[in-house]
Amino acid sequence: MGFLKWLGLGRPRDAPPVQDNVRDSSGTFLFGTANSGERVDEKSALQISTVYACVRLLAETIASLPLHLYCYIDDGKEKATDHPLYKLLYRQSNPEMTSFVFRETMMTHLLLWGNAYAQIIRDGRNNILGLYPLLPENVEVDRNENGELYYIYHAYTDDVPGERDKDIYFRRDEIFHIPGLGFNGLVGFSPIAMMKNSLGTTLAVEKYGASFFKNGAQPSGVLEHPGVLKDPAKIRENWSAVYGGANNAHRVAVLEEGLQYKPISLPPEDSQFLSTREFGVEEICRMFRVPPHLVQSLKHATFSNIEHQAIDFVQHSITPWAVRFEQAIIKDLLLETEQDSYFPKFNLDGLLRGDYQSRMNGYATGFSNGFLSPNDIRRLENMDPIPDEMGGNFYMVNGSYVQLKDAGIYAKNGQSNTEERNS
């Protein structure tokens, strides 16, 4: 209990008891053999091409987005480049990893295990010096007797320098934790574990296809002999050696002594082999909420809807992950005194850009209505700004626009002036 007392300074005697509902949300018990007979875990699932493509797409997209730390000012916000956390989020999370690699690793953990953990290295002034990802399969979350969370990392490898085959205990403020979808909001469950039956079916279909081509892409069958064979096993082995395997497909078989070959299996098209594989792609895309065309499944994609599918991907797939990441940064990496002054933000504008003509029409509307200046537009197009003396930061508006209540006043005043001149 010495460590537990070290974690917490004590609780009031009249405080309500804290229920330990952390372990119930892990979902690790769901790993194992699927109904198809295939064992499914995060590593075997990643061997499915569609799972690999979806995880890589989401992880690389989040990692490639610009991530800046901002601070509030009187008239809006500005980048907090002087804050120690700015460089870690935008450029380099630790001496061994760029920000891209760090976020890519964290998103991969989050997509496969449902949780992403990183060790926080601080200096004596509580400034963060580095963030190091931890393997989520080795992390255990629990509560101490005071109801405070702590983390146990089972260091079975050298991923933590100087620590091997040890249980390392971390306080709450030493871990950066991004939980995925879970039952209690504290620990996420693994999407792979929850979808093990669907993924197990895909693994079984791929194993069947590999076995099909291994056996010469020919249905299995029966060798019939009119008499009694002294060594049937030897005949079967000789047959497999000569005609088995994809390299021996379509070879002409020579049968002696009345031996006959009769196929007994259904061809793959009759057992809907290809249809099952296509359905597996759609099922996995549905699981990760990824449009099929982004993993090179273009069966239902057309030129008229593919742009809208891409925008829908940003709005309903990328944005929730980005918000989850941003709020975890506020919760774990910013001090309580900083959380009202600083905030991180992913820039999604580049992903939401339409085609060239649509962008130009939108810019023209923004400029003519006075909420975009020439330099605002040029920054969105990654172009150098126009100097102030040339009107780069001017905001224009069409002078013919008037308020509804003032409609007709100009015409009335103009008629009065004309009458005065005529008189």
Side-chain angles (χ1 to χ4, degrees):
M1 297 297 293
F3 168 72
L4 297 180
K5 292 182 179 179
W6 169 73
L7 280 175
L9 299 177
R11 283 171 51 82
R13 294 183 178 180
D14 57 347
V18 178
Q19 297 180 353
D20 186 4
N21 59 345
V22 178
R23 297 175 183 266
D24 297 338
S25 181
S26 64
T28 55
F29 62 91
L30 293 172
F31 278 125
T33 304
N35 293 339
S36 62
E38 299 298 321
R39 181 169 180 78
V40 179
D41 57 28
E42 64 284 342
K43 294 183 176 63
S44 63
L46 204 58
Q47 295 177 5
I48 302 174
S49 60
T50 308
V51 173
Y52 180 85
C54 290
V55 170
R56 181 180 178 182
L57 171 68
L58 291 169
E60 289 182 345
T61 300
I62 290 294
S64 62
L65 292 174
L67 175 60
H68 299 283
L69 184 69
Y70 293 92
C71 63
Y72 293 105
I73 57 177
D74 293 338
D75 57 349
K77 67 179 186 300
E78 65 179 7
K79 294 179 182 177
T81 55
D82 295 333
H83 196 284
L85 189 59
Y86 182 89
K87 182 187 76 171
L88 300 180
L89 297 179
Y90 178 67
R91 190 163 66 248
Q92 190 170 2
S93 298
N94 61 64
E96 301 171 351
M97 297 181 187
T98 63
S99 174
F100 181 99
V101 174
F102 172 78
R103 282 183 278 155
E104 181 185 44
T105 304
M106 295 289 283
M107 272 301 300
T108 301
H109 292 171
L110 193 55
L111 292 166
L112 293 176
W113 280 274
N115 294 278
Y117 304 93
Q119 181 184 2
I120 304 173
I121 305 299
R122 302 179 186 268
D123 61 12
R125 295 178 296 177
N126 218 16
N127 293 323
I128 299 178
L129 301 178
L131 298 170
Y132 291 85
L134 300 174
L135 290 175
E137 61 181 349
N138 296 341
V139 178
E140 183 180 349
V141 187
D142 208 340
R143 290 187 187 274
N144 64 10
E145 60 183 3
N146 298 318
E148 298 179 356
L149 292 176
Y150 67 93
Y151 298 82
I152 307 174
Y153 188 71
H154 308 291
Y156 301 129
T157 60
D158 290 330
D159 46 357
V160 177
E163 302 289 346
R164 182 183 177 89
D165 297 332
K166 295 181 180 179
D167 288 341
I168 307 173
Y169 292 82
F170 293 102
R171 297 191 305 269
R172 172 69 185 82
D173 59 350
E174 294 178 315
I175 293 294
F176 173 41
H177 179 201
I178 309 175
L181 181 65
F183 295 117
N184 62 5
L186 297 176
V187 181
F189 54 68
S190 169
I192 303 300
M194 298 300 289
M195 298 295 295
K196 68 176 182 180
N197 286 326
S198 178
L199 296 174
T201 301
T202 303
L203 284 172
V205 170
E206 292 194 353
K207 180 178 289 188
Y208 167 79
S211 177
F212 173 73
F213 286 102
K214 179 181 178 182
N215 291 310
Q218 296 289 339
S220 60
V222 174
L223 290 173
E224 291 186 353
H225 191 274
V228 178
L229 294 176
K230 295 181 179 180
D231 193 356
K234 184 176 181 180
I235 294 179
R236 181 174 58 248
E237 292 174 359
N238 291 337
W239 178 273
S240 298
V242 176
Y243 303 108
N247 293 331
N248 296 324
H250 306 295
R251 294 188 64 179
V252 178
V254 179
L255 304 178
E256 298 177 319
E257 298 180 358
L259 199 66
Q260 294 183 356
Y261 174 79
K262 294 184 178 181
I264 60 174
S265 296
L266 292 175
E269 59 268 20
D270 292 343
S271 60
Q272 297 183 338
F273 171 71
L274 296 179
S275 298
T276 304
R277 291 207 65 181
E278 291 179 357
F279 178 75
V281 173
E282 296 180 1
E283 192 80 350
I284 295 172
C285 288
R286 186 180 300 114
M287 168 185 168
F288 287 103
R289 202 159 50 189
V290 169
H293 76 273
L294 292 178
V295 293
Q296 304 305 311
S297 179
L298 304 176
K299 183 177 180 180
H300 301 292
T302 65
F303 288 107
S304 60
N305 67 8
I306 199 166
E307 180 181 349
H308 295 285
Q309 289 187 47
I311 295 176
D312 181 76
F313 169 68
V314 176
Q315 294 177 339
H316 298 103
S317 298
I318 296 300
T319 299
W321 288 117
V323 172
R324 190 185 297 271
F325 214 107
E326 292 167 354
Q327 294 189 358
I329 292 174
I330 296 175
K331 176 176 66 72
D332 292 339
L333 303 184
L334 289 177
L335 302 175
E336 291 187 9
T337 56
E338 298 176 331
Q339 293 179 1
D340 293 332
S341 303
Y342 296 89
F343 67 95
K345 190 67 178 177
F346 283 98
N347 186 354
L348 302 176
D349 293 340
L351 297 179
L352 292 172
R353 294 172 62 179
D355 59 84
Y356 184 81
Q357 181 178 359
S358 299
R359 296 202 311 274
M360 294 303 108
N361 291 336
Y363 294 152
T365 301
F367 179 75
S368 63
N369 286 278
F371 60 85
L372 285 178
S373 69
N375 281 342
D376 291 334
I377 298 172
R378 294 178 70 85
R379 276 190 290 268
L380 292 173
E381 290 294 314
N382 197 26
M383 300 169 66
D384 293 332
I386 299 174
D388 288 342
E389 57 269 18
M390 298 180 62
N393 293 316
F394 289 174
Y395 292 88
M396 308 292 184
V397 66
N398 194 325
S400 63
Y401 293 148
V402 296
Q403 297 185 27
L404 185 61
K405 65 182 181 64
D406 296 331
I409 293 180
Y410 175 80
K412 181 178 180 180
N413 292 338
Q415 182 179 3
S416 299
N417 294 335
T418 301
E419 292 177 353
E420 291 177 359
R421 288 196 301 269
N422 293 334
S423 62

